[in-house]
Amino acid sequence: MTSLILASGGGDSTENMPLGGSLGPLFPANYDVVWSLVCFIVIMLLMWKFVLPRYGKVFQERRDRIEGGMAKAEELQAKAQQTLDEYNQQLAQAHDDATQIREEAREQGRQIVAEMKDKAMAESDRIIASGQQSLDAQRQKAYTDLKNDIGVQATNLAELILREELDDDAKRADTIDAFLASLGDNDTAGVARR
């Protein structure tokens, strides 16, 4: 450093030195350092006394607000989870109810089908019985009509064969009864053959 001072053109080192005995052009004078240090301490005290408490207060308010927001968010999340659980429970209950309703409907359908089959079978049996009665009545009527017609035809045939008239009602009735009795025996034998 002295070589710099010497190179600057002066041989006397005290002439180039600043006032107050400074260490060089890059270092400030002692009084500048002292006054700068006093200003720095005053500013620090003012900041310590006024700015830092306000900053701490604002910082605490923000922290409380953030923590409150987080607590509120956790509370809302818990409520949302509870609501979701309730919804899932209601959905499961609705599914169970729907399954039960479907099963009840199937059972009712089976009962209705069974009742309809029973009614249809009863109606069918009634129709068959009615038809059987009607058929028996028609058969009996046809048998009676045929018996009477055969009796009359037999009498006419007997008159032709015997060449005499069977005017007597008693003779005619006896002849018809005898013929029908023999015819009844033949019908019974025919039914037995079937």
Side-chain angles (χ1 to χ4, degrees):
M1 202 175 269
T2 56
S3 61
L4 282 175
I5 293 172
L6 291 176
S8 64
D12 189 12
S13 64
T14 57
E15 290 178 16
N16 291 334
M17 274 191 168
L19 293 173
S22 173
L23 296 176
L26 297 177
F27 295 105
N30 289 335
Y31 67 90
D32 283 337
V33 171
V34 170
W35 282 110
S36 296
L37 188 59
V38 169
C39 289
F40 179 75
I41 291 173
V42 169
I43 290 174
M44 287 304 290
L45 286 174
L46 288 174
M47 285 189 66
W48 184 266
K49 182 76 174 169
F50 297 109
V51 175
L52 284 180
R54 283 193 175 194
Y55 177 75
K57 184 178 176 184
V58 169
F59 181 73
Q60 186 64 34
E61 286 175 0
R62 283 190 180 179
R63 185 178 354 165
D64 291 344
R65 204 173 329 147
I66 289 170
E67 287 175 357
M70 288 175 62
K72 196 174 199 179
E74 288 174 0
E75 181 182 328
L76 288 175
Q77 186 175 3
K79 284 183 181 178
Q81 184 64 37
Q82 181 181 3
T83 304
L84 179 64
D85 292 342
E86 289 174 2
Y87 171 75
N88 287 336
Q89 185 179 9
Q90 289 174 354
L91 186 62
Q93 181 67 32
H95 180 70
D96 292 343
D97 290 347
T99 302
Q100 184 179 3
I101 289 170
R102 276 195 306 267
E103 287 301 320
E104 288 175 1
R106 284 184 187 136
E107 185 60 34
Q108 287 177 353
R110 287 185 198 115
Q111 288 176 353
I112 290 171
V113 168
E115 289 174 5
M116 294 302 288
K117 282 183 180 179
D118 290 345
K119 285 181 181 178
M121 289 300 291
E123 184 68 19
S124 174
D125 291 345
R126 186 189 65 76
I127 290 171
I128 289 171
S130 175
Q132 188 66 35
Q133 287 176 351
S134 176
L135 185 61
D136 289 344
Q138 287 177 359
R139 184 182 296 152
Q140 186 63 34
K141 184 178 182 293
Y143 180 73
T144 304
D145 289 346
L146 186 61
K147 192 175 179 183
N148 290 336
D149 285 345
I150 288 175
V152 171
Q153 292 298 329
T155 304
N156 289 338
L157 185 61
E159 282 178 2
L160 287 175
I161 292 175
L162 297 174
R163 299 223 183 240
E164 63 182 63
E165 258 187 63
L166 297 173
D167 287 332
D168 188 11
D169 286 336
K171 278 184 173 182
R172 183 180 266 182
D174 289 339
T175 306
I176 290 172
D177 288 338
F179 180 73
L180 290 177
S182 69
L183 191 63
D185 291 338
N186 289 339
D187 283 343
T188 308
V191 170
R193 282 188 220 129
R194 288 184 193 171

